[in-house]
Amino acid sequence: MRLPRFEYSEPGTLEEACSLLAQADTKVLAGGTELLVKLKQKTITPRALVNIKSIPHLDRIEETEDGGLSIGPATTLHAAATSPLVRDRFGLVAEAAAAVGKPRIPYMATLGGNLCLDGRCFYYNQSLLWKQSLPPCYKDGGHLCHVVQGSDHCNALFVADTVPPLIALGAEVTLTGVDGETRMPLEDFYTGRGEEVNVLQPGQVLSRIRIPAPPPYSTGVYLKHSLREAIDFAVVGVALLLTVSPEDGTCRDARVVLGSVATRPLRAVAAEAALRGKALDEGLVRTAATLAAKETHPVSHLGVSATYKRRVIETLTKRAVRQAWRQAVAGSGSREGWR
Amino acid sequence: MGRLSVVGTSLPRVDAWDKVTGRAEYAFDVELPDMLHVKVLRSAYAHARILSVDTSKAQGLPGVRAVITGADMPKDPPLEALRNELYAVPPFSLATDKARYTGEEIAAVAAEDELTAEEALQWIRVEYEPLPAVIDPEEAMKPGAPQIHDDAENNIQYENRTEFGDVEKGFAEADHVFEDRFSTQLVHPCTLERTVCIAAFDSSGYLTFYDNSIDPYKQSRYLPKLLGIEPSRLRIVQKAIGSNFGALQGNLTPYIMCALLAKKAGRPVKLVYTREEEFINAGPRHMGVCYLRTGVKNDGTVTARDIRLITNAGAYGYLGPAMMTSGFTPCAGLYRCPNVRFEGKCVYTNTAVTSPYRSFGIVPPAFAMESMMNIIAEELGMDPVALRLKNITRQGDVTVVGQEISSSGLPECIEKTVAHIGWKEKRGRLPPNRGVGMACGMFDSEVRNAPFAGSVAYVKLLEDGRVKVISGEFEWGQGSRTVLSQIAAEELGVPLESVLFSELDTAAVPYALGPYGGGPVTLRGGNAVRLAAVEARRQLFAVAAGMLSVGPDDLELKDQKVVVRDDPVRALSSAQVAHYAKFILAEEIIGRGHFEPDTVMRDPKTYYGNYSSGYTFTAQTVEVAVDPETGQVRILDFASAIDLGKAINPMAADGQNEGCVGQELGPILLESLAYDKQGRVVNPNLVDYRLPTALDVPPITSFLVESHEPHGPYGAKACGQVSNIPAAAALAGAIYDAVGVWIKDQPITPDKILRALAEKEKREHAPA
Ligand SMILES: Cc1cc2nc3c(=O)[nH]c(=O)nc-3n(C[C@H](O)[C@H](O)[C@H](O)COP(=O)(O)OP(=O)(O)OC[C@H]3O[C@@H](n4cnc5c(N)ncnc54)[C@H](O)[C@@H]3O)c2cc1C
């Protein structure tokens, strides 16, 4: 399959990028690891691409005054995974970045591209020729879903690995367009609609990712389960940020975020509530894991059955809580807290 | 035979350097002046009547030079003549009245560049009348299922029943009868290189194809008939092949399309499949359902076996029947059980035409039979190793289906792998969730699948002392050029680097059947090359004898010199002799070797016969760890032993052994070509079709057992496609040893393991 023809530009500034993107049918090109595949398949055929990797400083990782991080969207996943700034205090983000299509994809792919990753589906992500005989699905502008017959919405799966950990950490994103900037929690960036996964408007660039300093006495974990060792999307990804009380070791707060289980990154709120304020023990771990599996409603998708996904959510949640708990007890979590 | 110096040595492959440095020329690399690019419009439906195909818009696009449809296909193809030539007619045509699988060829475009050709496809209007499709062969056999071909009732392409001994009596003698159902799925070989075909007519109408297919001779026999060209005006030049493994072996459609387009456009054309086209069109390995009954005595003696095998032929079922025969007979021959019944059905379905992906058809029945051997051992409280040793066929046996076992190192294969894994200490004794398993296998070392089942080769001594092998046996990645060159080097006393190999051009090199697996080349081609080299040596001595005025018997070959044995100062270099022969005597030194094995074709009805001049054996052991909460299987250790008679190049043989296991781990654990209910392949790409990566393949320990096959060159047999045969059953056995569940349908996914564990738990906790 060949790339279709398109216009291409390499702007020198964000403003320039935004004005180029304000023109009809123009898309941001970052690492291209998702976008170019879709172009070759003619899943989408934009008129023009704007390469944001040419913008200086958009790949920087900096510490912010409040002890958090500010990461440029054009930062490659490899850079994010290996940066000491990310690894030392936001290990779960580094883990997730390294796990994206490992081992090769992280060298090309960007963090911004991962955040803006579209939903995946056995029917949507096919070539135009493959789709000849298919009536268009919701995501292609039609009125049905090929994955779940009779479904009233698109079921394209949200699979981006770095998002659950970033949401667990309470990250924020900045969107820049010709009309100015908006900042929002990353969690709110996602619509939950498979058709349009995020709130990006035409002409907007996701221009910055901010991670606040982790709360004192917190530790984070990202566990990804996939079927193949290399180059594989998650069957399920579980991110957990666990904050314990230094006095009695009880769970002060827990944020559990699941990937690859729905059309958006999903907070396992029932599991979080079950953990919050409780003394951590094996029984609680199991309860939380069971709740996480119960409160999600995965569909059989991309060759993985819903039942299996549930089992894996349960297992990974259990393991994530145990691991975070162990780290907390060992004091290897957020350094600030354990000083 | 004296001491060997080149044969038996681990030498780097002769094509390794070119391949790793990108210098090897693949068909993809061939660029001809004025060449056009071909794209194919494929059926959007798994089953549909084609009401009309309108290409007028596409034809008028700038850059489009020719368009063809089913209407351009050869009229009245001489099917009967084709059928008589070989046992089955491969697909050769674009769809005309009906499309029978998603991906079937409907029209093809030749344009100035690939993108234009691809875009032109969108302007071809096809009017379809969709018909219900059927993907599963057992469903397809049911009354009322969609009829795929008018002349195949219940979609049965082929069925056969054969019985040896007295099966009912065998079951009556048994103390236990085991019965089960096993199945395997559609999988794709995912060759590194995609299908490529280039067709070019010269000004006098002589047609040349450049390709990477693995059946150039078969094609050069069929194609003239289909294209209405005299055979002498058509040749196929085979370039380096980026592996094949049998994917749609013999498919003629790309050639027909390219030839017709090249003719119409008056320019050479090149077709390169996309990866998606590979998945939807280039034959997957058939899936098989095997219903198996086995009778055993208390002491483990197998008394009767009743095998019912159902395979999907795909939409056109080309090699299905051949795969059935080829799969069943080695399974029957592996054990001494005298009473065997076989019933096979090959069923049309609306999937791509299925193919003999590595080890021609045996995987479905072998998985069933070896799994059942493990189950029997477990139920009888016997060691699976002891059960095997009690029943295996031994050297000197004539098996129940007529195979004459002229060599077998199977006991040694078992012994080696069992010792490696620490079987005695580990089986049933490992910590929870860890386990070991084993299984055995057998396959032919070559096969008589055509009236001529031998090989012909020429070996030429060049005037500078180098040696050239001219043979139609080809290299598709298995290392055959290296092995055949080693043989020529051995007989003519030159180092391996001094051997050249002819390019494969059907108009220039002698006829050969081709690999049909990695093995036949070594056995058949190896014998032919050896005979040719021996003859070349005889000529060398004859010429040298004249030059030295001695008798040929007084001469010997030493350090590339022909030396008078009793007077070693009198010597001529091979180069001097060859030079003299060529330019003074005008008689080149060229030996012809013709090898024809002493075998018969299997009886088409009973399947009886000694169809191979040697049989290869294998035994494997494996240790796994299973995560009972995710179902994930981790292979900790894998040992694979093959009895290959003699390792002509041990390093290459180890490579075949390890590669074969590594490749098969995909179908066993990960891969599945997934068709949806409407018959679309939903994972036609290398992300969603999970081929094992380097990180997924565990360390594999290879053992080579040399049983010395009397019919093979230097005792060699085949080794390219046997190590994948027992692997699934060995793994299933190890998983059972680890967590106590048998998985009987491939792939053995974590999902299936968890479900089986949940059922087991339910059973164990159910009130009695
Ligand atoms: C073989 C393979 C394996 C993969 N495995 C994984 C995996 O395991 N996990 C996973 O999460 N993903 C995986 N992916 C998907 C993809 O590679 C990653 O998500 C990657 O991070 C995307 O980043 P990119 O920079 O390449 O994005 P691009 O392909 O350049 O862009 C992706 C999308 O985001 C938009 N975009 C990019 N940056 C911005 C921005 N700053 N502002 C606004 N819009 C933007 C683009 O317009 C496009 O729509 C895989 C892809 C392949 C081909």
Side-chain angles (χ1 to χ4, degrees):
Chain A
M1 275 174 244
R2 291 268 154 187
L3 281 174
R5 294 173 185 91
F6 53 83
E7 282 172 32
Y8 173 78
S9 49
E10 296 187 351
T13 63
L14 197 55
E15 294 71 51
E16 200 189 326
C18 292
S19 64
L20 286 165
L21 283 161
Q23 295 167 29
D25 211 8
T26 307
K27 295 225 63 148
V28 174
L29 172 70
T33 57
E34 191 222 7
L35 190 65
L36 297 184
V37 177
K38 273 188 175 168
L39 255 64
K40 284 191 176 185
Q41 294 185 317
K42 323 285 184 293
T43 308
I44 51 170
T45 46
R47 185 188 55 80
L49 299 188
V50 176
N51 187 347
I52 58 160
K53 285 218 235 186
S54 60
I55 302 172
H57 313 316
L58 218 55
D59 59 352
R60 284 222 180 138
I61 306 175
E62 290 155 28
E63 246 172 334
T64 56
E65 283 163 13
D66 57 3
L69 281 188
S70 164
I71 309 180
T75 306
T76 65
L77 293 171
H78 175 71
T82 49
S83 151
L85 290 179
V86 182
R87 267 190 13 220
D88 290 353
R89 290 168 54 232
F90 305 90
L92 62 171
V93 177
E95 289 280 327
V100 173
K102 76 171 176 193
R104 269 169 31 190
I105 296 285
Y107 293 92
M108 284 296 289
T110 64
L111 187 62
N114 197 243
L115 264 53
C116 297
L117 184 66
D118 203 353
R120 264 175 60 80
C121 166
F122 264 170
Y123 289 85
Y124 175 70
N125 293 94
Q126 298 287 358
S127 74
L128 193 62
L129 280 169
W130 192 96
K131 290 188 198 176
Q132 280 174 85
S133 68
L134 276 183
C137 66
Y138 291 119
K139 205 166 168 60
D140 270 327
H143 303 284
L144 54 94
C145 172
H146 298 296
V147 175
V148 183
Q149 239 91 105
S151 173
D152 62 358
H153 61 272
C154 168
N155 288 282
L157 203 61
F158 184 86
V159 293
D161 277 305
T162 63
V163 173
L166 285 171
I167 291 180
L169 285 160
E172 278 185 358
V173 286
T174 306
L175 313 183
T176 306
V178 271
D179 306 331
E181 281 192 4
T182 354
R183 258 172 86 156
M184 65 176 70
L186 179 60
E187 200 172 353
D188 297 345
F189 179 62
Y190 300 104
T191 61
R193 291 170 14 93
E195 295 89 332
E196 271 170 49
V197 172
N198 57 51
V199 301
L200 266 182
Q201 294 300 310
Q204 277 186 324
V205 178
L206 190 157
S207 56
R208 197 133 289 276
I209 300 134
R210 283 193 181 76
I211 319 178
Y217 308 109
S218 67
T219 108
V221 176
Y222 179 65
L223 296 181
K224 171 178 181 173
H225 179 67
S226 44
L227 298 177
R228 177 162 73 173
E229 281 294 324
I231 329 172
D232 210 359
F233 287 92
V235 166
V236 171
V238 174
L240 166 72
L241 189 75
L242 186 77
T243 311
V244 296
S245 146
E247 292 85 42
D248 54 7
T250 55
C251 168
R252 191 178 272 172
D253 192 18
R255 286 167 69 94
V256 182
V257 191
L258 310 175
S260 289
V261 300
T263 50
R264 57 166 299 136
L266 211 64
R267 288 278 295 277
V269 285
E272 290 178 356
L275 290 166
R276 211 169 287 132
K278 304 270 171 48
L280 285 165
D281 61 30
E282 190 51 32
L284 182 66
V285 171
R286 282 172 194 278
T287 310
T290 313
L291 284 170
K294 273 212 185 115
E295 65 185 301
T296 48
H297 303 280
V299 296
S300 296
H301 211 334
L302 293 158
V304 179
S305 79
T307 340
Y308 184 62
K309 255 185 210 277
R310 273 230 169 83
R311 287 294 307 269
V312 176
I313 295 169
E314 185 173 349
T315 300
L316 289 199
T317 308
K318 201 156 54 183
R319 289 178 183 178
V321 179
R322 275 188 206 136
Q323 189 179 323
W325 178 21
R326 256 200 319 273
Q327 283 171 12
V329 171
S332 66
S334 164
R335 270 186 275 124
E336 290 89 317
W338 303 101
R339 253 188 303 257
Chain B
M1 205 180 306
R3 264 202 40 221
L4 298 170
S5 56
V6 189
V7 163
T9 312
S10 287
L11 294 167
R13 293 171 55 132
V14 295
D15 51 356
W17 184 251
D18 275 356
K19 282 185 173 165
V20 298
T21 55
R23 275 186 222 152
E25 201 185 55
Y26 293 86
F28 183 86
D29 299 319
V30 174
E31 293 288 339
L32 301 176
D34 285 338
M35 194 165 70
L36 299 171
H37 296 268
V38 177
K39 285 285 165 191
V40 182
L41 182 71
R42 299 178 177 281
S43 174
Y45 292 93
H47 199 192
R49 242 179 270 293
I50 300 169
L51 305 178
S52 68
V53 183
D54 178 3
T55 63
S56 50
K57 281 223 178 77
Q59 225 134 14
L61 290 177
V64 171
R65 297 288 169 249
V67 183
I68 55 162
T69 67
D72 296 284
M73 285 301 107
K75 299 281 167 308
D76 307 316
L79 292 180
E80 228 15 72
L82 290 175
R83 221 167 268 137
N84 292 341
E85 283 262 335
L86 279 164
Y87 40 82
V89 181
F92 64 85
S93 171
L94 300 186
T96 48
D97 53 333
K98 200 168 150 180
R100 294 182 171 87
Y101 68 98
T102 313
E104 186 170 355
E105 299 85 351
I106 305 272
V109 175
E112 296 289 345
D113 59 75
E114 258 186 277
L115 190 58
T116 306
E118 196 182 317
E119 280 169 1
L121 299 183
Q122 293 171 41
W123 295 94
I124 299 174
R125 292 276 157 270
V126 187
E127 224 186 314
Y128 295 100
E129 180 193 322
L131 301 167
V134 60
I135 301 303
D136 180 84
E138 289 191 287
E139 289 299 317
M141 277 162 40
K142 288 186 183 155
Q147 275 291 111
I148 298 170
H149 292 274
D150 295 339
D151 58 355
E153 210 183 320
N154 297 326
N155 293 313
I156 307 280
Q157 179 208 359
Y158 164 89
E159 59 188 320
N160 192 28
R161 192 168 186 280
T162 177
E163 182 165 341
F164 304 90
D166 185 337
V167 171
E168 287 318 315
K169 189 163 148 270
F171 279 120
E173 284 165 13
D175 296 313
H176 311 269
V177 175
F178 292 85
E179 192 167 349
D180 234 315
R181 176 189 190 273
F182 300 86
S183 62
T184 62
Q185 78 284 25
L186 282 165
V187 289
H188 201 278
C190 299
T191 56
L192 267 179
E193 190 190 15
R194 293 163 285 150
T195 302
V196 179
C197 184
I198 293 167
F201 285 95
D202 73 4
S203 53
S204 62
Y206 190 106
L207 173 60
T208 302
F209 289 106
Y210 300 90
D211 77 345
N212 57 356
S213 111
I214 56 158
D215 264 339
Y217 290 95
K218 220 187 266 177
Q219 275 126 353
S220 68
R221 280 167 78 180
Y222 280 131
L223 285 166
K225 290 198 172 64
L226 287 166
L227 291 166
I229 293 180
E230 294 142 57
S232 64
R233 295 170 76 76
L234 181 151
R235 68 174 180 141
I236 297 178
V237 179
Q238 185 199 53
K239 309 306 286 186
I241 296 182
S243 77
N244 180 287
F245 305 112
L248 201 39
Q249 188 169 338
N251 181 17
L252 294 174
T253 319
Y255 298 84
I256 300 281
M257 290 192 295
C258 288
L260 294 177
L261 285 168
K263 181 132 209 182
K264 222 173 181 174
R267 288 168 59 178
V269 303
K270 179 182 196 174
L271 166 68
V272 180
Y273 272 28
T274 61
R275 185 57 68 180
E276 179 182 297
E277 287 178 294
E278 286 290 320
F279 276 111
I280 64 178
N281 178 269
R285 178 195 279 166
H286 63 193
M287 56 138 349
V289 182
C290 191
Y291 293 91
L292 182 60
R293 267 196 325 141
T294 307
V296 274
K297 292 199 161 151
N298 283 331
D299 69 356
T301 310
V302 178
T303 58
R305 299 210 278 171
D306 185 6
I307 305 149
R308 208 148 60 78
L309 180 65
I310 298 156
T311 62
N312 71 331
Y316 292 90
Y318 164 41
L319 292 170
M323 288 192 273
M324 197 138 256
T325 323
S326 161
F328 160 69
T329 39
C331 283
L334 180 59
Y335 297 110
R336 277 178 166 163
C337 168
N339 309 305
V340 179
R341 181 158 59 215
F342 176 76
E343 195 187 304
K345 284 191 171 72
C346 240
V347 187
Y348 288 123
T349 58
N350 296 110
T351 71
V353 183
T354 57
S355 287
Y357 160 14
R358 215 164 185 167
S359 75
F360 220 98
I362 192 176
V363 165
F367 173 53
M369 294 195 214
E370 282 302 285
S371 287
M372 186 166 272
M373 287 301 273
N374 284 338
I375 294 173
I376 291 170
E378 179 64 31
E379 296 291 316
L380 296 187
M382 246 180 118
D383 185 336
V385 172
L387 181 67
R388 297 313 196 294
L389 289 172
K390 183 155 198 91
N391 289 285
I392 53 170
T393 290
R394 307 270 172 162
Q395 187 162 315
D397 283 2
V398 176
T399 70
V400 60
V401 289
Q403 295 135 337
E404 292 166 19
I405 308 299
S406 34
S407 65
S408 167
L410 181 55
E412 195 183 332
C413 289
I414 295 176
E415 191 187 308
K416 286 227 152 83
T417 49
V418 158
H420 172 88
I421 212 87
W423 183 259
K424 290 229 157 59
E425 309 83 72
K426 286 184 179 165
R427 184 179 157 260
R429 301 206 179 125
L430 284 167
N433 307 317
R434 294 230 333 242
V436 289
M438 69 89 60
C440 301
M442 160 179 169
F443 206 62
D444 27 283
S445 278
E446 51 105 4
V447 63
R448 182 168 289 270
N449 56 354
F452 172 68
S455 187
V456 177
Y458 294 91
V459 169
K460 204 165 157 179
L461 189 65
L462 305 176
E463 62 264 35
D464 60 0
R466 289 205 174 81
V467 170
K468 180 155 191 177
V469 178
I470 302 166
S471 155
E473 299 291 359
F474 43 84
E475 173 67 58
W476 58 345
Q478 83 277 45
S480 61
R481 282 207 173 159
T482 307
V483 161
L484 297 181
S485 298
Q486 278 180 273
I487 291 173
E490 181 69 50
E491 295 299 335
L492 287 165
V494 299
L496 183 59
E497 309 82 77
S498 296
V499 182
L500 312 173
F501 216 99
S502 57
E503 185 178 54
L504 203 153
D505 174 341
T506 56
V509 301
Y511 173 71
L513 279 164
Y516 167 63
V521 172
T522 303
L523 207 154
R524 300 197 279 229
N527 271 321
V529 168
R530 200 182 75 81
L531 293 170
V534 168
E535 165 61 16
R537 194 180 55 208
R538 191 196 62 73
Q539 293 174 16
L540 171 71
F541 282 10
V543 174
M547 293 168 77
L548 293 162
S549 310
V550 293
D553 295 343
D554 302 331
L555 299 172
E556 64 182 5
L557 204 51
K558 233 181 194 165
D559 301 331
Q560 302 184 64
K561 286 198 185 75
V562 187
V563 181
V564 178
R565 194 177 295 110
D566 300 332
D567 188 5
V569 287
R570 291 177 67 200
L572 292 166
S573 71
S574 304
Q576 277 174 304
V577 182
H579 192 274
Y580 183 84
K582 181 167 178 180
F583 296 111
I584 308 301
L585 300 181
E587 275 179 29
E588 285 188 82
I589 295 179
I590 175 161
R592 180 175 187 270
H594 177 113
F595 171 74
E596 171 88 79
D598 182 17
T599 54
V600 296
M601 279 231 217
R602 273 168 284 214
D603 183 283
K605 182 74 196 125
T606 65
Y607 297 162
Y608 190 89
N610 185 39
Y611 54 93
S612 169
S613 50
Y615 299 88
T616 301
F617 294 89
T618 178
Q620 294 177 336
T621 55
V622 53
E623 181 176 349
V624 301
V626 180
D627 181 334
E629 290 186 318
T630 62
Q632 201 77 6
V633 175
R634 206 149 52 83
I635 298 171
L636 304 174
D637 198 2
F638 200 112
S640 176
I642 30 181
D643 160 26
L644 42 39
K646 158 90 191 166
I648 291 179
N649 185 328
M651 181 164 69
D654 283 334
Q656 286 293 306
N657 192 8
E658 292 162 18
C660 197
V661 173
Q663 185 175 30
E664 193 66 30
L665 291 177
I668 299 171
L669 296 170
L670 287 166
E671 296 172 35
S672 181
L673 193 65
Y675 278 85
D676 72 2
K677 286 201 191 71
Q678 287 74 38
R680 297 183 196 91
V681 177
V682 289
N683 57 351
N685 61 70
L686 290 168
V687 175
D688 295 312
Y689 184 91
R690 293 189 179 87
L691 204 63
T693 68
L695 296 182
D696 294 281
V697 177
I700 296 159
T701 304
S702 162
F703 294 101
L704 305 177
V705 170
E706 300 191 323
S707 62
H708 201 91
E709 167 56 48
H711 302 113
Y714 314 95
K717 304 191 268 192
C719 70
Q721 51 174 355
V722 69
S723 321
N724 58 335
I725 296 172
L731 256 162
I735 291 167
Y736 178 84
D737 194 39
V739 290
V741 293
W742 294 110
I743 307 296
K744 297 167 190 167
D745 55 335
Q746 283 186 51
I748 304 178
T749 59
D751 193 357
K752 286 178 191 167
I753 292 176
L754 288 192
R755 268 184 280 155
L757 283 172
E759 274 161 34
K760 178 176 166 241
E761 185 141 324
K762 224 193 263 167
R763 266 197 320 272
E764 283 166 5
H765 289 91

